[in-house]
Amino acid sequence: MIHVMIVDDEAQIAHGIAALLPCEELGIGAVHVAYSAEEALRKLADSPIGIVLTDIRMPDCDGISLLKAIKERWKRTKVIMLTGYADFDYAKEALQGQATDYLLKPVRKDTLEKTVGQAIEQLRGEWEEIASAERAMRTLRTYEPELKAKHLNDLIAGLRMAESELAEKLAWFGLPYGKGDGCILLLARTEHSEGAEDREDAALLAYGLENIAEETFSDDFHFWRCRDAHGHLVFLVKPVGRADSLSPEGERSAIRDAERCAVLFHKHAEQFLKANVTLYMSGIGEFPSEVPDMYECTLSAIRDGSSPQGQFLIMADEARTAEPGYLRCLHEPPLLRHLFEIGDWDAIRDKMNRALEYTDAPDGSKTEQSAEVYLTFAAALCTHLHKRGRRLTEFLGRVPGPSPDSAFLWTPVRLKSWISEILDLLRKEGDERAGGRTDAIVRLQQFIAERLAEDLSLQRMADYIYMHPTHLSKIYKKETGEGISEYLTRLRMERAAQLLGSTDVKIYEIGCMTGYLNANYFIKVFRRQFGATPQEYRERLRRDS
């Protein structure tokens, strides 16, 4: 539904025009009234107003100046000028300044309905074009390399995804990887480069290495690349035209070809970029189920420091992934603290139950694994309660059974029961809150998390959960202990920090991807949040890794 605003310093005229509008017939959701240009700009900032009818002459600011101010900030908003016969030449100037149309005062009902109706159709047509599949496809194709890299980052991190969703994404990106395909993962670590004295040169070096790698491997392998959270280049390659890559002979052939390509890559990187690159290569594994283990295997090889002097290609031993006591499912996305944030108690229960299944492994690490499950859950619970101004000891006093002081000695069955009791209590507290406010906030948080790149005004968020903006602000602060704008900023900054650490996307592009079209303002907010500019933060992450 379109929102319309009437701007006139004479209240009687403004309300008279508003009364003439046939809102239901034209599909108008709300009519706002402002008595000055300053008030009009404030209302435009707070409400999704699509059409403005403004008097061309007002005491504080003429209509032409208001038109220019509107077009600078809300370029798609349609502005219709209200003018007398004496101001006809002035109205023509307004049309040249991007006014949609003009109406002569006194306004006739049929003319008003026709002019506003045409503006509404024009506005709808523009937004339909913006939202069209063609426009969306063009935008997505622009960011395709970054999106493909992010998708691979999700896979190596162990992010769970429905088989149909994975197949759809792979098809859209044109990635010829399918369930059960054999593939090899390589991790490239730059040891030294004479040409990478500063960060800008380092970014160019990474870009050059990616291009050389793709060129070197593409004759024998399908190639997919990303940069991980540590700044390493990660390549996932699949043999071209081989259906038997998981057979013993196929595996040996694929490994030989990958080793040959890796040697060529190292040689070309050294020759053309003066870069000394060490490559860690996994064995062949099944896509997508074994990709996280293949990645972890290469990281383990780095942690072990097992790279003999002068050796640039390290075969990562898969046995390294079988580290006693490591509970991958406990630390893979979605993270526990994020699930607490949105109150997804069922997902938390499922994650903890899966982790506890591994505590029965006969490797002598049962006690340590149970302790890891308990400590991870307790830390996330503490954060959840403290953000809401509550104390852990008081909350646990409401949980039946023994104190968790002896949790390290609990059996997995007892620990599972205790976690279940905690989650049941948290769910019950949510259900007891009046008016379904908690559910509304959870829905709002999910709405925000999915639209960080979009313009999220308080009015838009309030409209989504059918609340008044002022009431929403008060309820959100009361329920979460955090202001809604602070929550939005924090989420955007966390997303920006993650992108800075895991991608080479430009600073201003990361700003756009997190809802900040003004790069300078994005940098200012980021510095306030993290005490460093985005560039300094990215450099620090890569230096520490």
Side-chain angles (χ1 to χ4, degrees):
M1 300 288 277
I2 304 293
H3 285 215
V4 175
M5 180 166 64
I6 316 296
V7 186
D8 199 303
D9 58 304
E10 295 185 39
Q12 185 176 358
I13 293 177
H15 286 284
I17 293 173
L20 290 175
L21 284 170
C23 295
E24 188 173 346
E25 290 85 348
L26 293 177
I28 296 173
V31 177
H32 306 260
V33 174
Y35 308 115
S36 67
E38 182 180 356
E39 183 183 5
L41 292 172
R42 283 201 307 271
K43 291 193 172 185
L44 279 162
D46 292 335
S47 302
I49 295 169
I51 297 174
V52 176
L53 291 86
T54 178
D55 190 7
I56 209 163
R57 289 190 183 277
M58 292 182 289
D60 64 328
C61 173
D62 62 55
I64 301 293
S65 299
L66 177 58
L67 168 65
K68 291 177 180 178
I70 291 173
K71 288 301 178 180
E72 284 177 2
R73 297 179 61 185
W74 303 281
K75 62 181 180 180
R76 301 196 183 280
T77 299
K78 304 303 173 188
V79 181
I80 299 171
M81 310 302 294
L82 302 172
T83 177
Y85 284 101
D87 297 318
F88 187 76
D89 291 336
Y90 206 34
K92 288 193 293 185
E93 181 185 346
L95 290 174
Q96 293 172 354
Q98 294 185 315
T100 301
D101 210 336
Y102 69 93
L103 289 169
L104 291 174
K105 296 163 69 174
V107 177
R108 293 174 49 187
K109 186 178 186 302
D110 58 341
T111 307
L112 174 67
E113 182 176 348
K114 179 182 176 182
T115 303
V116 173
Q118 289 173 343
I120 288 174
E121 288 305 312
Q122 185 179 350
L123 186 64
R124 283 177 176 156
E126 289 178 6
W127 281 111
E128 285 171 1
E129 196 277 330
I130 290 170
S132 69
E134 182 181 354
R135 176 66 177 266
M137 192 68 71
R138 289 200 302 267
T139 303
L140 285 172
R141 289 300 182 194
T142 301
Y143 291 100
E144 182 177 347
E146 288 78 16
L147 293 170
K148 286 169 69 174
K150 180 185 180 303
H151 188 33
L152 180 54
N153 256 307
D154 289 341
L155 282 177
I156 65 177
L159 183 67
R160 293 175 176 271
M161 190 179 305
E163 188 175 326
S164 58
E165 181 185 358
L166 175 61
E168 182 181 350
K169 286 187 176 182
L170 292 170
W172 193 90
F173 288 128
L175 292 166
Y177 295 75
K179 183 179 180 182
D181 288 346
C183 53
I184 299 169
L185 187 140
L186 298 98
L187 188 149
R189 183 181 184 186
T190 307
E191 306 293 344
H192 173 70
S193 172
E194 296 177 4
E197 299 298 332
D198 57 37
R199 191 77 266 145
E200 182 177 352
D201 284 345
L204 289 173
L205 172 64
Y207 178 75
L209 289 172
E210 289 171 352
N211 287 338
I212 287 176
E214 186 164 7
E215 184 70 24
T216 303
F217 280 87
S218 59
D219 286 341
D220 300 287
F221 294 91
H222 298 292
F223 185 86
W224 190 2
R225 57 86 184 167
C226 72
R227 295 197 72 179
D228 69 5
H230 310 289
H232 304 133
L233 298 177
V234 178
F235 311 136
L236 187 69
V237 299
K238 170 192 165 185
V240 171
R242 292 193 67 99
D244 63 339
S245 56
L246 287 175
S247 69
E249 179 55 37
E251 181 174 343
R252 285 192 292 271
S253 176
I255 291 293
R256 284 196 302 269
D257 288 343
E259 287 178 343
R260 175 176 51 79
C261 290
V263 171
L264 284 174
F265 167 68
H266 179 270
K267 180 180 177 180
H268 292 156
E270 191 173 47
Q271 180 180 355
F272 299 116
L273 297 177
K274 305 279 191 293
N276 183 13
V277 179
T278 300
L279 283 157
Y280 298 84
M281 191 169 91
S282 75
I284 200 158
E286 186 174 320
F287 182 89
S289 59
E290 295 180 355
V291 170
D293 288 334
M294 294 157 64
Y295 172 65
E296 181 61 33
C297 155
T298 59
L299 285 183
S300 295
I302 293 177
R303 287 195 295 266
D304 289 351
S306 55
S307 95
Q309 188 172 4
Q311 186 172 340
F312 61 84
L313 178 59
I314 313 298
M315 295 302 296
D317 184 0
E318 292 187 15
R320 289 190 178 99
T321 62
E323 298 173 357
Y326 180 62
L327 298 172
R328 176 184 299 279
C329 62
L330 192 60
H331 306 290
E332 65 187 11
L335 299 178
L336 205 55
R337 60 187 176 90
H338 293 155
L339 295 176
F340 268 101
E341 185 84 27
I342 63 173
D344 194 340
W345 315 124
D346 291 332
I348 295 173
R349 194 188 309 271
D350 178 63
K351 179 182 278 285
M352 303 313 294
N353 287 347
R354 284 190 290 114
L356 285 167
E357 288 176 5
Y358 292 96
T359 61
D360 287 326
D363 60 0
S365 60
K366 178 188 292 186
T367 301
E368 288 192 3
Q369 288 179 317
S370 297
E372 183 181 358
V373 172
Y374 165 72
L375 290 172
T376 304
F377 179 81
L381 176 62
C382 273
T383 301
H384 175 75
L385 294 173
H386 291 168
K387 287 175 67 174
R388 288 153 181 78
R390 305 178 66 182
R391 299 185 62 183
L392 180 64
T393 51
E394 294 175 357
F395 176 80
L396 292 180
R398 301 177 58 192
V399 181
S403 165
D405 294 341
S406 58
F408 290 119
L409 304 177
W410 285 355
T411 64
V413 174
R414 175 67 189 97
L415 185 55
K416 180 179 180 179
S417 174
W418 179 77
I419 290 173
S420 182
E421 290 166 356
I422 293 287
L423 296 176
D424 287 344
L425 180 56
L426 288 170
R427 185 191 297 276
K428 182 180 178 183
E429 287 184 345
D431 292 342
E432 289 174 351
R433 290 190 176 96
R437 294 183 303 195
T438 299
D439 289 340
I441 287 173
V442 168
R443 287 192 295 108
L444 178 61
Q445 289 176 334
Q446 292 171 335
F447 175 83
I448 292 171
E450 294 168 359
R451 295 167 175 80
L452 291 180
E454 300 177 17
D455 179 20
L456 292 173
S457 66
L458 180 60
Q459 182 67 52
R460 183 183 178 188
M461 291 186 282
D463 288 345
Y464 178 72
I465 56 174
Y466 306 106
M467 281 189 185
H468 189 278
T470 304
H471 183 57
L472 171 60
S473 296
K474 292 179 180 178
I475 292 298
Y476 193 94
K477 179 74 172 180
K478 181 178 179 181
E479 293 294 320
T480 67
E482 183 179 29
I484 193 167
S485 60
E486 286 81 7
Y487 173 79
L488 175 59
T489 300
R490 178 169 61 81
L491 231 58
R492 281 174 162 166
M493 291 298 101
E494 288 177 355
R495 175 61 176 153
Q498 186 267 325
L499 289 169
L500 287 167
S502 61
T503 72
D504 280 327
V505 176
K506 293 182 175 63
I507 303 297
Y508 76 89
E509 290 178 344
I510 290 178
C512 292
M513 293 165 71
T514 52
Y516 296 92
L517 300 182
N518 185 313
N520 290 332
Y521 183 64
F522 167 63
I523 293 170
K524 179 181 178 181
V525 175
F526 191 95
R527 181 191 284 121
R528 186 167 62 235
Q529 189 82 3
F530 293 100
T533 66
Q535 186 63 38
E536 291 167 347
Y537 184 88
R538 175 177 270 171
E539 291 175 0
R540 186 171 64 202
L541 282 179
R542 293 182 178 173
R543 187 169 57 248
D544 292 342
S545 66

